[in-house]
Amino acid sequence: MKETSYANSIDVSDFDRKMRFILKEIKNQEITIEEYVMIKIINFINSEFDIYMTVLNESVRKKKALSELDELLQSLKKKKNRMKSTITLAAMHNKSEEYRD
């Protein structure tokens, strides 16, 4: 059974190309490696924060819509109860009219 280490599985040419690109970018921006790493970390955090805020805003919109629907439902229930009461009163009034005749 042959064991392969992680180091053996790395594509050295790809890694070398990426490192050269990073070093060229650092040189072009005239920054230190530490500054480059901090910029990458900050950009990553910002992108994650943007995603989080998008999800949060969508959640707030949904809660607001649900709240508005609940208010509408409560209003419709009140109107239904008022209409029921009005119909009941009208029916009672008609019954009393029948008894008078």
Side-chain angles (χ1 to χ4, degrees), residues 3-63:
E3 287 189 35
T4 56
S5 69
Y6 178 72
N8 291 340
S9 66
I10 295 176
D11 181 0
V12 177
S13 62
D14 187 44
F15 178 77
D16 188 47
R17 192 171 8 90
K18 287 178 183 177
M19 287 307 297
R20 286 179 205 218
F21 174 79
I22 290 171
L23 291 172
K24 189 176 179 181
E25 196 173 335
I26 290 170
K27 187 177 179 183
N28 289 342
Q29 294 179 20
E30 296 179 356
I31 58 175
T32 65
I33 292 175
E34 291 83 4
E35 290 170 329
Y36 177 82
V37 170
M38 289 303 294
I39 289 168
K40 290 297 182 182
I41 291 170
I42 290 168
N43 288 341
F44 175 75
I45 291 170
N46 283 338
S47 67
E48 290 296 310
F49 182 75
D50 289 343
I51 292 168
Y52 172 77
M53 289 306 294
T54 301
V55 170
L56 183 63
N57 286 336
E58 189 63 30
S59 175
V60 167
R61 278 191 220 113
K62 285 179 181 177
K63 282 184 180 180

Side-chain angles (χ1 to χ4, degrees), residues 40-96:
K40 290 297 182 182
I41 291 170
I42 290 168
N43 288 341
F44 175 75
I45 291 170
N46 283 338
S47 67
E48 290 296 310
F49 182 75
D50 289 343
I51 292 168
Y52 172 77
M53 289 306 294
T54 301
V55 170
L56 183 63
N57 286 336
E58 189 63 30
S59 175
V60 167
R61 278 191 220 113
K62 285 179 181 177
K63 282 184 180 180
K64 185 177 179 185
L66 285 173
S67 176
E68 289 172 359
L69 285 173
D70 187 50
E71 288 175 18
L72 179 61
L73 178 63
Q74 297 305 320
S75 173
L76 289 172
K77 282 181 179 178
K78 287 178 185 175
K79 287 180 182 177
K80 181 185 111 183
N81 288 338
R82 278 191 235 124
M83 289 176 77
K84 248 185 183 178
S85 298
T86 303
I87 291 170
T88 303
L89 287 172
M92 289 172 58
H93 180 72
N94 285 342
K95 288 258 185 200
S96 65

